[in-house]
Amino acid sequence: MQLLDGKALSQKIKLQIKEDVAKRAASGGIIPHLCAILVGNDPASETYVRNKILSCEEIGYKSTMFRYDTSITEEELLAKIEEINNDESIHGLLVQLPLPKHIDVSKVVEKVDYRKDVDGFHPMNIGRMAKNMPCALPATPYGILKILEEYKIETKGKNCVVVGRSQIVGSPISILMSRPGYPGNATVTVCHSHTKDLASFTREADIIIAAVGVPELIKENMVKEGAVIIDVGMNRIEDATRKSGFRLVGDVAFDEVKDKCSFITPVPGGVGPMTIACLLLNTLQAAS
Ligand code: NDP
């Protein structure tokens, strides 16, 4: 088994962007500016946004964070997005999800100018992605493609089983894996909570992409010998031995599966860091 080291690849990408930004700075070019909106104080969301802002600082982007209490109204949030859409000094805007229940997520996602939508969630970007047109790809699926490319993993004609059909991971990666080109041209099956006998699908897969949110759902007996495994899951489980009181595990039972598969992403250190790297790539693209 070979580890698909998303951490190392993300560092390589960040270094390349950092060099690009330094050249832009030296020649008086545009420095990408990413803006993040965080509503509430969900600890996981706080960590994600902090990491995104820190990554911007690391590579020389400008970054701005707007924090709001959960009492912010939908109207106020939409007005703030409008203001940022109209601010030419800001190139990328992300609104950290989830949002409080009284705010309609679809309205928020659609309010972001699709040209500043570095998360790739806007219907315009999703539509362009499906039509194989240039667009901002959703950051996590984009990161998965980058990993497959880096390790030269063959996808053409392979059976790819995607477990999960969320708007941000499962659904877009299933479209991307079946698009013409590389990585793509796979025969894709999408499984979800209504799938009967999940194992009968995953056992036939040359490539499994698990984006479920159920700790270690994919067990050794659900995986074919030599399969490639992309584990998107990031699940916090209690661990009294850790200072934080928890540890992260994926949707795949890593220790059981690692000697049976050919390639696997670790959790943490696999898909997670690539999501941030691809968000930065989308921001660079938006600024360009
Ligand atoms: P969602 O909760 O939005 O979607 C989960 C999907 O899994 C749904 O389509 C659901 O089916 C399906 N599902 C749930 N239980 C089962 C089951 N027992 N068998 C088969 N399918 C099932 O999750 P996300 O896509 O947002 O996230 C998935 C995981 O990936 C989470 O652990 C999340 O933390 C992680 N994540 C990691 C990122 C990274 O950067 N590494 C980025 C984004 C997410 P149905 O549609 O029928 O409800």
Side-chain angles (χ1 to χ4, degrees):
M1 175 276 294
Q2 188 178 353
L3 272 186
L4 299 169
D5 189 343
K7 193 171 172 196
L9 178 55
S10 73
Q11 277 160 354
K12 185 168 138 186
I13 292 171
K14 283 200 234 173
L15 194 63
Q16 284 163 354
I17 303 177
K18 192 174 177 177
E19 284 167 8
D20 184 322
V21 174
K23 276 189 205 145
R24 283 164 176 260
S27 62
I30 293 172
I31 304 299
H33 182 177
L34 177 68
C35 178
I37 296 182
L38 175 63
V39 180
N41 48 12
D42 171 60
S45 293
E46 283 192 359
T47 306
Y48 296 148
V49 172
R50 194 173 48 243
N51 288 341
K52 289 168 190 174
I53 297 289
L54 284 174
S55 295
C56 284
E57 286 168 7
E58 199 186 312
I59 59 169
Y61 284 4
K62 291 180 199 156
S63 60
T64 307
M65 177 167 144
F66 294 104
R67 279 203 79 148
Y68 296 100
D69 193 76
T70 46
S71 61
I72 188 172
T73 65
E74 185 180 282
E75 226 174 19
E76 286 166 333
L77 183 58
L78 294 175
K80 186 67 198 174
I81 294 171
E82 177 77 27
E83 186 189 312
I84 297 168
N85 284 344
N86 294 327
D87 184 339
E88 285 185 9
S89 72
I90 295 173
H91 310 107
L93 166 61
L94 69 90
V95 183
Q96 186 64 43
L97 303 180
L99 290 168
K101 290 201 169 31
H102 64 278
I103 296 176
D104 183 338
V105 180
S106 300
K107 278 193 196 165
V108 169
V109 167
E110 287 175 38
K111 187 70 182 174
V112 175
D113 185 329
Y114 78 93
R115 290 160 300 191
K116 296 191 180 189
D117 167 39
V118 286
D119 269 330
F121 294 165
H122 193 286
M124 178 69 97
N125 283 320
I126 302 285
R128 292 177 70 93
M129 174 190 73
K131 287 174 73 77
N132 220 354
M133 293 162 73
C135 63
L137 293 178
T140 302
Y142 189 7
I144 295 172
L145 299 188
K146 287 270 176 203
I147 291 175
L148 295 171
E149 256 174 19
E150 176 73 8
Y151 287 87
K152 299 184 174 56
I153 290 171
E154 183 59 274
T155 56
K156 185 171 66 179
K158 300 293 179 187
N159 284 338
C160 173
V161 171
V162 177
V163 191
R165 57 175 172 182
S166 71
Q167 298 285 316
I168 62 168
V169 192
S171 183
I173 193 63
S174 66
I175 294 171
L176 290 164
M177 290 299 286
S178 63
R179 287 197 317 186
Y182 178 77
N185 280 328
T187 304
V188 179
T189 305
V190 182
C191 298
H192 45 75
S193 67
H194 299 280
T195 299
K196 287 185 186 144
D197 193 4
L198 177 64
S200 68
F201 293 94
T202 56
R203 272 199 292 265
E204 295 300 315
D206 302 306
I207 303 170
I208 296 176
I209 301 178
V212 195
V214 176
E216 304 185 333
L217 174 75
I218 310 293
K219 311 272 188 233
E220 186 268 341
N221 63 358
M222 296 169 75
V223 173
K224 182 167 93 171
E225 194 79 41
V228 174
I229 298 184
I230 307 289
D231 188 355
V232 183
M234 283 212 292
N235 310 294
R236 287 180 177 205
I237 60 167
E238 276 183 29
D239 186 343
T241 66
R242 303 284 173 101
K243 204 172 142 201
S244 60
F246 70 86
R247 70 189 157 92
L248 279 183
V249 299
D251 291 340
V252 178
F254 183 90
D255 288 335
E256 281 186 23
V257 164
K258 67 179 192 321
D259 296 324
K260 200 170 182 185
C261 58
S262 55
F263 293 91
I264 186 166
T265 55
V267 178
V271 177
M274 286 305 297
T275 298
I276 296 193
C278 289
L279 179 82
L280 299 171
L281 281 175
N282 280 342
T283 307
L284 185 65
Q285 183 63 35
S288 303

